[in-house]
Amino acid sequence: MIVDSALYRRGRRTTLDHASADYQHLREGVVERGDFVWVGLYDPTDAELADVAAAFDLHPLAVEDAANSHQRPKLDHYDDSLFLVLKTLWYVDEDDAVETGEINLFVGRDFVVSVRHGQGSHLQAARSYLESTQSVLEHGPTSAVYAVCDTVVDGYTDVINELQIDVDEIESSVFSTARTNDAERIYTLKREIAEVRRAVLPLQDPMRRASEGSVPGMEPEGAPFFRDVLDHLNRAAEVVHDLDDLLSTAFSAHLARVSVQQNDDMRKISAGIGLVAVPTLIAGVYGMNFRYMPELDWRLGYPLAMVMMVAFSIALLVFFKKSGWL
């Protein structure tokens, strides 16, 4: 469906006197350099997307990609327009899960068409920022691309901060004195970090090109703004890499700790067996009812056997305590 459509003239949003889906009328309002139309769609139907494609002469390959919401972040150039794909991220704390959405941007000389997929990819904040900042909005479609990219990358930072909290919890749990089973959660977090990496890393090259002012169809004056976005994106990539390394280290430490705990358990089991084995041996010897055993007719035989059992058990207990087995 159409979320919003507007004509921006001289850095300000103009009031429309026609239907928001009247794209031809919208484009006729572009009269000066820097004026442009921004049409926002959310999960459009094939018919809605076809209408927009016909009105703005969008390349069919780009339209096909926009219809399928599982694209890799990229920046493609088609004739006199650009097609930019960005992944959006948001975090569900209850499940330690990173959910993904997608934004597809068609950028021309006098228009921007945004196609959103997923619940966590609202662009109202980007529009509001642009409409309140005339000096940025005057740069035309490039300003809209910057606002969208900045909003998306800020979302990456929010998600990474949540993941950082979870990784810190994992580290505390792994190195705590309590017996914990953190392997499943570590695997879950590594999988979510891989999801973040798939959104962040491919976007670095498009943002680098935009920051250098080398993207055809985008205003070179917008390069400083994209440098700021690229800086945030690079920092996000570094943190993602560090978090993945920390989780790998935590998993190795968890396995080592489990191995140590198992060895400790085996020592305790062995010590327990030793404490039981010696009295059992003595009892077994004196329980053999052979006819010609010297102790069978000895009055002190039973007390002596009991004393030997207790004495050897105490001696073994002291030994195991000093050795750290118990």
Side-chain angles (χ1 to χ4, degrees), residues 154-201:
D154 285 346
Y156 295 167
T157 302
D158 294 337
V159 169
I160 290 171
N161 288 339
E162 294 293 336
L163 288 173
Q164 177 74 66
I165 294 172
D166 288 339
V167 172
D168 290 343
E169 291 175 354
I170 286 289
E171 287 185 307
S172 298
S173 178
V174 166
F175 294 104
S176 69
T177 56
R179 296 177 71 101
T180 58
N181 184 12
D182 300 303
E184 183 176 353
R185 192 180 183 198
I186 290 174
Y187 174 78
T188 298
L189 287 175
K190 283 184 73 69
R191 184 182 59 195
E192 302 311 317
I193 285 175
E195 196 72 49
V196 175
R197 185 186 290 111
R198 284 192 288 269
V200 171
L201 298 188

Side-chain angles (χ1 to χ4, degrees), residues 54-75:
F56 293 96
D57 194 25
L58 305 179
H59 197 281
L61 290 178
V63 174
E64 181 182 351
D65 285 346
N68 300 317
S69 60
H70 298 288
Q71 301 297 316
R72 186 175 184 270
K74 61 181 180 178
L75 176 61

Side-chain angles (χ1 to χ4, degrees), residues 173-290:
S173 178
V174 166
F175 294 104
S176 69
T177 56
R179 296 177 71 101
T180 58
N181 184 12
D182 300 303
E184 183 176 353
R185 192 180 183 198
I186 290 174
Y187 174 78
T188 298
L189 287 175
K190 283 184 73 69
R191 184 182 59 195
E192 302 311 317
I193 285 175
E195 196 72 49
V196 175
R197 185 186 290 111
R198 284 192 288 269
V200 171
L201 298 188
L203 190 59
Q204 286 180 294
D205 181 64
M207 291 300 99
R208 178 188 57 77
R209 291 162 55 192
S211 69
E212 295 171 350
S214 60
V215 178
M218 293 181 64
E219 297 291 336
E221 293 82 0
F225 296 96
F226 286 101
R227 279 198 291 272
D228 180 66
V229 175
L230 179 62
D231 178 62
H232 293 170
L233 191 63
N234 287 338
R235 278 188 285 173
E238 290 174 1
V239 175
V240 167
H241 179 74
D242 291 342
L243 290 180
D244 190 56
D245 284 348
L246 284 173
L247 283 177
S248 296
T249 303
F251 186 67
S252 297
H254 171 69
L255 293 180
R257 193 160 182 264
V258 168
S259 178
V260 170
Q261 289 172 346
Q262 290 176 341
N263 290 337
D264 188 53
D265 292 341
M266 288 303 300
R267 286 198 301 267
K268 291 179 179 179
I269 292 171
S270 299
I273 292 173
L275 290 173
V276 174
V278 172
T280 302
L281 174 63
I282 296 173
V285 170
Y286 286 95
M288 294 186 295
N289 295 319
F290 291 112

Side-chain angles (χ1 to χ4, degrees), residues 44-61:
T45 63
D46 292 340
E48 289 172 334
L49 198 54
D51 289 343
V52 173
F56 293 96
D57 194 25
L58 305 179
H59 197 281
L61 290 178

Side-chain angles (χ1 to χ4, degrees), residues 3-22:
V3 177
D4 197 2
S5 62
L7 169 65
Y8 296 95
R9 177 179 297 152
R10 301 185 186 92
R12 296 186 180 278
R13 179 171 181 150
T14 62
T15 303
L16 300 178
D17 56 357
H18 53 80
S20 60
D22 189 353

